[in-house]
Amino acid sequence: MPPTLALDASATQQDAHVTLDFLMRRMRQKTDFPALGASITRIQSLSTSETENLHTLSEEILKDVALTQKLLRVVNAARYRDAGMDPISTVSRAVTLVGMAGIRNVALSLMLVEHMDDKQHARQLKEEFLRTVMSGTVASELCANARRAEEAFVAALFRSLGRLLVEYYLPEDATQVRDLIKASMGALSDEDASVRVMGMGFESLGQAVGEEWGLPTEILGHMRAPQGRMPSKPMGPTPEQLSWLASLACEISRTMLLSEPTELGSKFSALESQYATPLALARGEINDAAFRARKKLSELASALEMHVPQGDPAERLLDSFYEDVPSPEANEMASVDELGLGTEHNDFGDLDLDLMLDVGHDPVRILNSGIQDVANTLADDFKLTEVLQMILETVLRAFECHRVVLCLRDVKSGQLVGRIALGEGAESIRPLFNIPLDSGQGPPHLFSAACMKGVDTLIKNAAQDNIVNRLPVWFRDRVQAPTFLLLPLVMKRQGVETVMGMIYADKMRADSLQVDQHQLSLLNTLRKQAIMAFKQASSSR
């Protein structure tokens, strides 16, 4: 006797619980994706908050060295720079030029691929990653409003999270889903096939994990396709519209992945007819958006050195696959700004090979690049905090520091106090920095003495007896860095040298912070740039 519908539903529900529990156990055993979830949540909340700023977003990205390097490589390869413009070498300047939401979208995309390095099924993971980012890029291309484009990118990107997780943690199930879709000759959707194989759809899995990660409510609301019939009237700029747009974008990327070029025209026309009224799509708009999205995804893949073998299905998502196919914009120069970020240039500068290639860590190269970044910023209208952030970031990356803190002179107290901090746990120690600049309170401790004398000081081993007794109590009790560097900022004001601030940098192993004369000279240049920024900021008031 065939099973009843009630029994089928019960069995499906049981399969869903088993699948979700198994996925969660695997994720807990491998710490990469839970850590990814925390970072994604933090970056997403920072980039959409009106109260947060460049400093906090840059600091979050800088916590991941690999992410930092890849983001700078992509931003430079995506040619955000005008012709002749120097390479972008700091996250701070990248955020300034591209915008917080733009950098957020690049970072989210890179974080997904950064945590998917299982070589056993790398090819399929690569395909799923490209498909996911294609969905986000197409969604952003279909939005005329820049702010809505950023939201659309995120909505479509996270709609595909469940499929990525299954491909990463449950590759056998992912293979069964693909085989089932293929056997159905495309009649089954990804969601229907995943329910048949696992008892739970990709979208439901993704949303469950998103809830576990604590993703914002607005993202969770877009992670499952809207239910019911599609609206028959044009929709305004509402969350519901974004959800339908994410559905269309995911369908477009699926169509591109599974179709031959000669089939795309008719299939895009069918999708356009279906979504034209509720999303107010113009004739040919899907085809144009897909064309631009392919160019942008190709740019990203090239920057990441993500090679797709000829004949691989994922190749259909890249511009190279269509080189011999006439495009609707064949006679126009298309923008190659990355991931729908809204920055267009007609001239492209040369790429910085050091940023594009995987070279060894070179403090001098990083210092020189940072100095150039700061110089370019000082030549334009700038915010003082942005310049100081770039300088701190350059020091942090050049010497692979654990923490860096910038102290500035407080007008009321006349003391140096911590103002900006970068690095692991740096924000928690920043308020501790309170450095007197007079000797009226007894013998000065090491920090006060270095600043009042304007002397650069490198302490290689802070545990030595002759050093310990000269350290501030708050430093011995709370900061406890075994090696650190002090760089006072001294500026002449009305002919008198005045201590304006101090850069502090540390590492967590004694003798690990090494600075040679050439590097010290470059640090001095950075310091002069900080002082120049103070002067220019004062004169513009």
Side-chain angles (χ1 to χ4, degrees):
M1 178 182 295
T4 65
L5 182 62
L7 286 175
D8 280 345
S10 176
T12 298
Q13 188 175 21
Q14 184 176 3
D15 288 345
H17 286 304
V18 170
T19 299
L20 183 58
D21 289 344
F22 186 57
L23 176 62
M24 289 299 187
R25 281 200 304 274
R26 283 206 168 179
M27 290 179 65
R28 293 187 190 103
Q29 291 169 359
K30 298 178 86 172
T31 59
D32 46 5
F33 257 111
L36 170 66
S39 298
I40 282 178
T41 303
R42 181 68 177 152
I43 286 180
Q44 168 64 20
S45 63
L46 288 177
S47 61
T48 56
S49 170
E50 294 181 359
T51 59
E52 296 289 357
N53 54 26
L54 171 150
H55 165 71
T56 47
L57 179 58
S58 300
E59 182 180 19
E60 188 65 30
I61 292 171
L62 285 166
K63 290 177 182 177
D64 189 328
V65 176
L67 174 63
T68 298
Q69 296 292 346
K70 285 190 175 183
L71 185 143
L72 290 176
R73 185 187 303 170
V74 168
V75 167
N76 279 279
R79 302 181 178 112
Y80 292 108
R81 301 175 284 134
D82 289 314
M85 183 179 176
D86 293 300
I88 301 166
S89 61
T90 58
V91 173
S92 306
R93 183 155 175 79
V95 175
T96 302
L97 292 177
V98 180
M100 292 183 69
I103 289 297
R104 181 272 313 272
N105 285 355
V106 177
L108 291 180
S109 302
L110 296 180
M111 290 169 79
L112 290 178
V113 75
E114 179 67 27
H115 290 264
M116 291 188 171
D117 57 357
D118 191 323
K119 292 184 172 64
Q120 290 184 352
H121 59 298
R123 185 197 65 79
Q124 196 60 50
L125 282 171
K126 186 186 302 180
E127 177 181 307
E128 294 298 346
F129 167 74
L130 291 172
R131 177 181 176 179
T132 297
V133 179
M134 172 59 79
S135 297
T137 309
V138 168
S140 69
E141 285 298 319
L142 289 171
C143 287
N145 180 279
R147 176 62 183 267
R148 296 288 288 176
E150 304 298 347
E151 295 173 353
F153 179 93
V154 174
L157 186 79
F158 281 94
R159 179 72 62 83
S160 302
L161 178 63
R163 194 175 62 246
L164 278 169
L165 292 173
V166 171
E167 189 62 63
Y168 186 76
Y169 288 105
L170 310 173
E172 298 86 0
D173 289 341
T175 299
Q176 287 186 45
V177 171
R178 285 192 299 276
D179 291 344
L180 189 57
I181 293 173
K182 186 176 180 180
S184 74
M185 304 294 289
L188 279 178
S189 68
D190 293 356
E191 200 67 10
D192 291 337
S194 58
V195 170
R196 292 196 184 189
V197 171
M198 300 180 295
M200 192 174 193
F202 288 142
E203 292 176 2
S204 299
L205 274 171
Q207 190 175 53
V209 173
E211 291 172 353
E212 178 83 6
W213 283 349
L215 291 179
T217 304
E218 56 269 23
I219 291 183
L220 291 173
H222 298 311
M223 291 181 72
R224 297 184 69 175
Q227 302 299 307
R229 299 183 63 180
M230 187 181 303
S232 58
K233 297 181 180 179
M235 291 183 287
T238 62
E240 183 186 17
Q241 183 201 45
L242 280 182
S243 286
W244 283 109
L245 181 59
S247 294
L248 172 59
C250 291
E251 188 61 34
I252 291 172
S253 65
R254 180 178 187 264
T255 300
M256 295 170 70
L257 186 66
L258 300 178
S259 306
E260 294 295 335
T262 54
E263 303 172 331
L264 284 181
S266 59
K267 291 186 176 181
F268 283 167
S269 293
L271 286 173
E272 212 165 73
S273 298
Q274 184 182 359
Y275 285 87
T277 299
L279 297 182
L281 298 176
R283 184 179 177 85
E285 191 168 351
I286 287 180
N287 192 68
D288 292 346
F291 173 76
R292 295 191 299 270
R294 277 200 305 267
K295 296 183 75 68
K296 294 173 183 179
L297 188 62
S298 299
E299 184 81 15
L300 174 63
S302 176
L304 295 177
E305 299 178 343
M306 185 179 285
H307 306 294
V308 176
Q310 190 171 5
D312 192 280
E315 192 184 15
R316 293 174 175 174
L317 299 175
L318 303 177
D319 201 42
S320 57
F321 186 72
Y322 298 83
E323 286 177 351
D324 299 327
V325 180
S327 71
E329 301 177 21
N331 297 319
E332 299 179 13
M333 176 174 287
S335 165
V336 289
D337 58 303
E338 184 53 45
L339 302 176
L341 304 182
T343 302
E344 297 189 4
H345 301 304
N346 291 327
D347 298 301
F348 307 138
D350 294 331
L351 300 181
D352 178 6
L353 293 180
D354 283 344
L355 286 173
M356 295 301 297
L357 300 176
D358 291 328
V359 298
H361 184 79
D362 184 353
V364 170
R365 178 180 61 83
I366 295 174
L367 288 168
N368 277 317
S369 297
I371 288 169
Q372 189 62 59
D373 242 7
V374 175
N376 290 335
T377 304
L378 289 173
D380 301 324
D381 292 334
F382 67 89
K383 294 181 180 179
L384 179 60
T385 53
E386 292 177 357
V387 173
L388 299 177
Q389 168 96 9
M390 290 179 197
I391 292 171
L392 277 196
E393 181 186 332
T394 300
V395 175
L396 178 77
R397 292 183 53 230
F399 297 98
E400 300 180 293
C401 296
H402 185 64
R403 300 166 296 198
V404 292
V405 178
L406 175 68
C407 299
L408 297 176
R409 192 182 189 106
D410 180 68
V411 176
K412 293 182 179 179
S413 67
Q415 298 183 348
L416 299 184
V417 296
R419 293 297 189 195
I420 304 175
L422 292 176
E424 186 177 343
E427 191 58 35
S428 65
I429 67 168
R430 179 188 57 77
L432 301 175
F433 283 75
N434 201 303
I435 303 168
L437 295 176
D438 61 66
S439 55
Q441 302 177 9
H445 56 60
L446 178 64
F447 286 60
S448 294
C451 290
M452 287 189 291
K453 294 179 180 179
V455 177
D456 299 332
T457 305
L458 173 60
I459 301 300
K460 295 184 177 181
N461 187 352
Q464 293 180 344
D465 292 340
N466 62 328
I467 301 297
V468 171
N469 294 331
R470 299 202 58 191
L471 295 174
V473 174
W474 53 264
F475 186 89
R476 293 200 303 265
D477 292 347
R478 300 284 300 279
V479 181
Q480 299 178 339
T483 180
F484 60 87
L485 174 68
L486 307 178
L487 298 173
L489 305 178
V490 181
M491 182 172 74
K492 277 194 176 182
R493 304 183 69 177
Q494 298 178 342
V496 178
E497 289 192 341
T498 304
V499 180
M500 297 300 299
M502 180 195 73
I503 296 174
Y504 164 89
D506 68 26
K507 298 186 78 167
M508 288 295 101
R509 183 169 55 84
D511 296 316
S512 61
L513 185 52
Q514 303 288 337
V515 183
D516 62 29
Q517 286 301 313
H518 187 193
Q519 294 164 356
L520 184 59
S521 174
L522 295 173
L523 285 172
N524 190 45
T525 300
L526 277 174
R527 173 169 39 202
K528 289 177 180 177
Q529 288 180 319
I531 294 171
M532 185 184 303
F534 281 120
K535 290 180 179 178
Q536 290 184 213
S538 299
S539 63
S540 63
R541 289 177 183 174

